[in-house]
């Protein structure tokens, strides 16, 4: 499923909360009629107020709407995100290596720009780290990332410096480089 943990939590909460609100409102509207029909009109009004105020609709609807808004804003900026779970993952990221290539328009990969959000890294250090790890990958974009580093005369780290390399389908790669985790 592409649904985020927040969406699943809200759904589980609503499955319990909604029936409780409906039952409480129903009891509040009906029991006073059985006890004292003359004053029950006020309780009926309170039951309706309870339904309006405690209605879980705002909670249940707000989460998907938030994700739909975020996905549509991303789409307007030519960014495709598979769903809410991936939006939440993006929100937890510390840094991101992105290539804005001609992959979709021209059918070939080419590194266009490097933006470094991880503090303490120069462009050369960052390219060295990324290209060294990508050198272990088989993905076509990895070839261009390595070629881009070589075009800038960036020396790759030795294969011994890279351990625990793993490909995460649909997400990228991860490895340990000189003891530091790279994702």
């Amino acid at each position: 499923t592409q649904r985020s943990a927040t969406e699943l939590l809200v759904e589980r909460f609503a499955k319990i909360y909604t029936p409780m609100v409906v039952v409480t409102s129903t009891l509040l509207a009906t029991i006073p009629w059985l006890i004292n029909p003359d004053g029950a009109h006020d309780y009926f009004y309170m039951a309706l107020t309870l339904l309006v105020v405690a209605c879980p609709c705002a909670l249940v609807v707000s989460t998907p709407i938030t994700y739909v808004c975020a996905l549509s804003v991303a789409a307007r900026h030519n960014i495709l995100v598979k769903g809410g779970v991936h939006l939440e993952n993006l929100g937890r990221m510390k840094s991101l290596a992105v290539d804005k290539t001609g992959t979709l328009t021209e059918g070939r990969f080419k590194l266009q720009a490097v933006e470094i959000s991880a503090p303490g890294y120069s462009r050369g250090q960052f390219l060295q780290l990324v290209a060294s790890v990508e050198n272990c990958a088989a993905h076509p974009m990895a070839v261009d990332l390595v070629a881009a580093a070589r075009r800038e005369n960036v020396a790759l780290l030795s294969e011994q410096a890279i351990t625990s390399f793993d490909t995460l389908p649909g997400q990228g790669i991860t490895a340990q480089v000189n003891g530091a985790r790279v994702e």
Side-chain angles (χ1 to χ4, degrees), residues 77-99:
H77 289 90
N78 299 321
I79 300 170
L80 300 177
V81 181
K82 283 177 119 178
V85 68
H86 300 293
L87 283 174
E88 286 191 0
N89 289 339
L90 285 170
R92 285 191 293 274
M93 288 178 53
K94 301 284 187 245
S95 62
L96 173 67
V98 179
D99 74 300

Side-chain angles (χ1 to χ4, degrees), residues 16-26 50-51 54-56:
I16 297 168
Y17 181 76
T18 304
M20 286 176 45
V21 168
V22 171
V23 167
T24 303
S25 181
T26 303
L50 175 66
L51 274 177
C55 179

Side-chain angles (χ1 to χ4, degrees), residues 77-154:
H77 289 90
N78 299 321
I79 300 170
L80 300 177
V81 181
K82 283 177 119 178
V85 68
H86 300 293
L87 283 174
E88 286 191 0
N89 289 339
L90 285 170
R92 285 191 293 274
M93 288 178 53
K94 301 284 187 245
S95 62
L96 173 67
V98 179
D99 74 300
K100 176 69 173 124
T101 66
T103 306
L104 296 176
T105 56
E106 299 171 17
R108 63 176 186 252
F109 302 106
K110 185 174 182 205
L111 181 64
Q112 299 290 320
V114 176
E115 291 184 30
I116 304 165
S117 62
Y121 287 95
S122 69
R123 179 184 173 86
Q125 290 170 321
F126 188 76
L127 274 176
Q128 181 184 48
L129 193 61
V130 170
S132 296
V133 173
E134 291 287 355
N135 198 34
C136 300
H139 194 278
M141 278 196 290
V143 174
D144 186 66
L145 289 170
V146 172
R150 289 192 172 131
R151 279 192 302 271
E152 294 189 25
N153 296 318
V154 173

Side-chain angles (χ1 to χ4, degrees), residues 4 12 16 53 61 63 90 106 111 118 141-142 145 149 170 178 182:
S4 71
R12 281 195 314 268
I16 297 168
V53 172
V61 171
T63 305
L90 285 170
E106 299 171 17
L111 181 64
M141 278 196 290
L145 289 170
N178 293 326
V182 176

Side-chain angles (χ1 to χ4, degrees), residues 24-98:
T24 303
S25 181
T26 303
L27 293 174
L28 187 60
T30 56
I31 290 178
W33 285 99
L34 298 173
I35 297 171
N36 181 10
D38 297 330
H41 176 68
D42 292 335
Y43 286 97
F44 185 75
Y45 181 75
M46 282 188 245
L48 288 176
T49 303
L50 175 66
L51 274 177
V52 171
V53 172
C55 179
C57 294
L59 176 67
V60 173
V61 171
S62 67
T63 305
I65 287 176
T66 304
Y67 289 120
V68 168
C69 288
L71 292 170
S72 66
V73 167
R76 272 184 256 146
H77 289 90
N78 299 321
I79 300 170
L80 300 177
V81 181
K82 283 177 119 178
V85 68
H86 300 293
L87 283 174
E88 286 191 0
N89 289 339
L90 285 170
R92 285 191 293 274
M93 288 178 53
K94 301 284 187 245
S95 62
L96 173 67
V98 179

